[in-house]
Amino acid sequence: ARGQSIDEQAVIYTQEELDPLLAPVALYPDALLAQVLTAATYPLEVVQAARFVKANPRLQGDAMARAAQGQNWEPGVTSLVQFPSVLAMMNDKLDWTQQLGDAFLSSPGAVMDTVQSLRAKAQAAGNLQSNAQQQVVVEDRYIVIQPARPQVVYVPYYNPVLVYGSWWWPARQPWYWVPPPV
């Protein structure tokens, strides 16, 4: 890779690669999805943050957020300490996290278009709608997902193979992460 520019080294992902890569997180509320995508571009910091959360089991909520502010992490990574299950997922699936970050860095427009496409498929399948935890709003062809109560962000858990309708890439199935029982 010596002598090549960053653009020449960038990996271009096909739609067949982007769909299963984004399927596990495309239905996250927009603010959380933005944090996940940004944090994925710093996989080493994701590992450090996951270890930090694990090493401080007594800290939760605002106390955990204040403690994390002392770390020298990218703000998207720091914000994820408030979502330990998401941080654990990204740490457990580090190869996926790395690929997600690479895709977001090399083709942010294609990543966001894929998110919108997946959301539209979930909505068409009847699996994306407003409820007590989230508001689903269509604004100028864009599907926006936001918390029903701004101070509480729920992390949705779903099986990507089912929620979007019949999966269209049989050779590339998305993975399904089940959080550990609390």
Side-chain angles (χ1 to χ4, degrees):
R2 240 185 220 149
Q4 291 180 332
S5 73
I6 291 177
D7 290 338
E8 292 170 344
Q9 295 177 25
V11 176
I12 303 300
Y13 289 84
T14 65
Q15 198 61 53
E16 186 176 356
E17 294 167 321
L18 287 173
D19 285 344
L21 188 63
L22 287 153
V25 295
L27 302 184
Y28 281 13
D30 288 11
L32 178 57
L33 177 61
Q35 292 167 346
V36 167
L37 292 173
T38 303
T41 65
Y42 295 88
L44 179 58
E45 291 182 14
V46 166
V47 171
Q48 292 169 341
R51 289 178 181 170
F52 179 83
V53 168
K54 194 172 189 175
N56 295 287
R58 290 195 170 102
L59 295 178
Q60 293 184 1
D62 291 339
M64 177 62 81
R66 283 192 299 277
Q69 290 301 323
Q71 304 300 313
N72 190 23
W73 300 326
E74 194 282 326
V77 174
T78 304
S79 67
L80 287 180
V81 301
Q82 298 256 0
F83 302 94
S85 63
V86 174
L87 200 53
M89 170 192 68
M90 294 177 76
N91 183 56
D92 291 350
K93 293 286 193 177
L94 199 54
D95 55 337
W96 169 82
T97 299
Q98 175 84 45
Q99 290 175 4
L100 183 65
D102 289 347
F104 187 59
L105 284 173
S106 67
S107 304
V111 165
M112 298 314 295
D113 288 347
T114 299
V115 166
Q116 287 300 313
S117 171
L118 289 167
R119 288 178 175 185
K121 287 177 188 284
Q123 195 173 46
N127 296 318
L128 181 60
Q129 53 199 349
S130 294
N131 57 36
Q133 291 80 31
Q134 68 185 13
Q135 289 287 309
V136 177
V137 181
V138 178
E139 297 177 353
D140 297 325
R141 300 183 343 255
Y142 294 103
I143 299 172
V144 177
I145 303 173
Q146 54 199 15
R149 296 185 343 213
Q151 57 277 58
V152 180
V153 178
Y154 289 92
V155 178
Y157 296 101
Y158 54 89
N159 185 337
V161 174
L162 302 176
V163 78
Y164 299 110
S166 298
W167 191 253
W168 50 98
W169 302 113
R172 292 197 183 259
Q173 297 288 313
W175 58 269
Y176 173 42
W177 190 80
V178 179
V182 177

